[in-house]
Amino acid sequence: MLYLSSLWLIHSITGSLYLPLPFIHLMTLFYMFHKVLNSSVMIFYKIAQRVEEMEKSVTGDTRNWTEVQEFTLEGFPAVQNLGKLLFLVHLLAYLASIMGNTLIITITWTDHRLQTPMYFFLRSFSFLECCFVTTVIPKLLAIFLSGRQSISFVACFTQAFVFLFLGTTVFFLMAVLSLDRYLAICKPLYYSTIMNPRMCFLLVTACLSLGFVLMVVPIMMLSQSSFCGSHVIPHFFCDFGPLIHLSCSDTRSTEMLAFILALFILLTSLIITIIAYSNIVVTVVRLPSAKERQKAFSTCSSHLIVLSLMYGSCVFIYVKPKQTNRLDSNREAALVNTVVTPLLNPVIYTLRNKQVHQALRDALSRVRLQK
């Protein structure tokens, strides 16, 4: 169905059923993401088996507590009286984010002027953003509309894994975007040779693979813990910290691993980004034309705004040895990553770009002529 819809969209904009190379890349990326999700389903099938084992092993004679089979997402109880208003606000933000990112994907694969490495990475970035917000926001909307929401053990850990996997992939992809801008501005003669289609595809594949490998281990370790007592998660989705908080087992090794991985992911991508943009600034300052300097600084500054929002909120939430600290304030910080930045990214990264504006005007003109 998605494939047929894509064909219809290409035909309506270009008047042809020819599949451009970026579309093939995007469909391949979608296929890879589908395979990763299938792998995660197999992994969490083991979690489901563990749930069955827990049900069989729990007896009144050997334990004085009950294993948790289902969690309850608390959401934002302090503002539940504003639930309908918050539902409307977040629904509009979610739809705007999905539409903005879908527009970026569509316009950058149908316009031949935007078939460059930078826009290939932005297409991948927009696709991941759509998946990222869809992992969390629908449940948040249900909480605003009808209060606390129940979620099964397997579904909760699946959501936690997909959220962290996509988030990690996005951070690595943003580092790749920084490298792409560095090569385009500082090494223009080598840019087309280095950033060929094969290299672009390999870089996106590497980001997805790293995200999967780094996140599957701590989630699997946490899923093997015992959960007893309270089943209420003080959050609007299943995140790592709140789940650690509910565990009855000794989770020190899991918390330390999560802390080390969070440091590695954030510091690695941040260092690459800082080095890339530092070199860009040095190169831009040396440009003879004031107009060129202004254009380069405008692009870089907008990227840095998004980076500062994402890194700031993630450092606050995840870079701490004890994951149970600041759980209440984590909810507000998580809204930055799940609502604010996905809404800003299409505007800051692409839709304010003159090339994209021209491509949009041309696409609208073609649609009008066909009518």
Side-chain angles (χ1 to χ4, degrees):
M1 187 66 186
L2 177 63
Y3 184 75
L4 292 175
S5 300
S6 303
L7 284 177
W8 177 85
L9 188 58
I10 292 172
H11 178 64
S12 64
I13 294 176
T14 64
S16 170
L17 287 178
Y18 167 69
L19 296 180
L21 185 60
F23 176 77
I24 297 170
H25 283 165
L26 187 70
M27 288 298 100
T28 309
L29 180 65
F30 179 81
Y31 173 75
M32 287 171 52
F33 182 71
H34 176 69
K35 295 293 285 183
V36 168
L37 284 183
N38 281 344
S39 300
S40 66
V41 168
M42 292 301 297
I43 288 168
F44 288 103
Y45 173 71
K46 295 181 180 179
I47 298 176
Q49 289 179 319
R50 180 182 175 274
V51 173
E52 292 179 3
E53 291 171 4
M54 285 161 45
E55 290 174 344
K56 293 176 182 177
S57 62
V58 174
T59 60
D61 296 333
T62 57
R63 294 184 181 181
N64 57 3
W65 44 265
T66 324
E67 292 276 8
V68 172
Q69 308 300 319
E70 187 179 74
F71 295 106
T72 300
L73 296 171
E74 186 179 47
F76 297 90
V79 293
Q80 195 56 49
N81 57 320
L82 301 173
K84 288 180 179 164
L85 176 61
L86 292 171
F87 168 82
L88 182 60
V89 171
H90 287 80
L91 176 64
L92 292 174
Y94 174 63
L95 293 175
S97 175
I98 293 293
M99 290 172 65
N101 283 297
T102 303
L103 182 62
I104 289 171
I105 294 169
T106 304
I107 203 67
T108 54
W109 88 45
T110 55
D111 195 290
H112 65 91
R113 292 165 297 186
L114 303 180
Q115 294 176 14
T116 63
M118 182 183 81
Y119 289 107
F120 171 74
F121 293 132
L122 286 173
R123 276 194 296 275
S124 305
F125 182 74
S126 294
F127 174 72
L128 289 172
E129 284 284 272
C130 288
C131 299
F132 182 74
V133 296
T134 303
T135 304
V136 173
I137 299 301
K139 205 69 175 176
L140 175 62
L141 294 175
I143 290 171
F144 282 139
L145 203 58
S146 54
R148 292 183 173 192
Q149 291 290 308
S150 297
I151 184 169
S152 70
F153 186 94
V154 177
C156 185
F157 274 90
T158 304
Q159 185 189 50
F161 169 73
V162 174
F163 175 81
L164 293 172
F165 155 61
L166 291 173
T168 302
T169 304
V170 164
F171 272 107
F172 285 127
L173 191 56
M174 291 185 82
V176 170
L177 273 166
S178 302
L179 283 176
D180 175 76
R181 292 299 80 210
Y182 162 74
L183 290 171
I185 295 172
C186 303
K187 307 287 182 184
L189 297 178
Y190 301 100
Y191 180 67
S192 57
T193 305
I194 297 173
M195 285 297 181
N196 55 66
R198 183 172 178 273
M199 178 57 71
C200 293
F201 186 75
L202 286 174
L203 286 170
V204 173
T205 304
C207 292
L208 285 165
S209 302
L210 278 171
F212 181 86
V213 170
L214 292 177
M215 287 299 105
V216 75
V217 176
I219 291 294
M220 285 298 294
M221 287 176 65
L222 184 57
S223 71
Q224 300 302 312
S225 303
S226 297
F227 293 87
C228 56
S230 174
H231 64 283
V232 178
I233 298 176
H235 213 308
F236 59 89
F237 70 96
C238 294
D239 202 4
F240 198 82
L243 287 171
I244 284 273
H245 177 66
L246 296 183
S247 176
C248 300
S249 305
D250 184 0
T251 57
R252 283 176 294 182
S253 59
T254 307
E255 286 186 87
M256 187 52 63
L257 176 62
F259 173 67
I260 292 169
L261 288 176
L263 270 180
F264 170 76
I265 293 161
L266 293 172
L267 284 179
T268 302
S269 56
L270 183 61
I271 288 169
I272 291 172
T273 302
I274 289 172
I275 293 172
Y277 277 104
S278 299
N279 283 278
I280 288 171
V281 168
V282 172
T283 304
V284 166
V285 168
R286 294 174 182 170
L287 291 174
S289 169
K291 188 176 180 180
E292 289 179 349
R293 286 198 298 271
Q294 184 181 2
K295 181 182 176 182
F297 274 125
S298 174
T299 303
C300 293
S301 62
S302 62
H303 292 188
L304 290 172
I305 290 170
V306 175
L307 286 168
S308 61
L309 283 171
M310 289 186 65
Y311 280 108
S313 58
C314 283
V315 166
F316 181 82
I317 295 170
Y318 297 108
V319 183
K320 50 192 177 187
K322 192 72 175 171
Q323 286 291 318
T324 54
N325 294 338
R326 302 195 303 258
L327 282 180
D328 289 334
S329 52
N330 281 1
R331 278 178 282 200
E332 288 75 16
L335 284 174
V336 176
N337 277 344
T338 56
V339 179
V340 179
T341 52
L343 183 62
L344 293 177
N345 284 339
V347 178
I348 289 178
Y349 272 94
T350 308
L351 296 181
R352 66 194 293 271
N353 188 299
K354 289 181 180 178
Q355 286 180 302
V356 176
H357 287 173
Q358 186 59 48
L360 282 171
R361 283 193 290 268
D362 293 347
L364 290 172
S365 299
R366 285 194 294 268
V367 171
R368 285 179 191 142
L369 285 172
Q370 287 179 0
K371 290 180 180 179

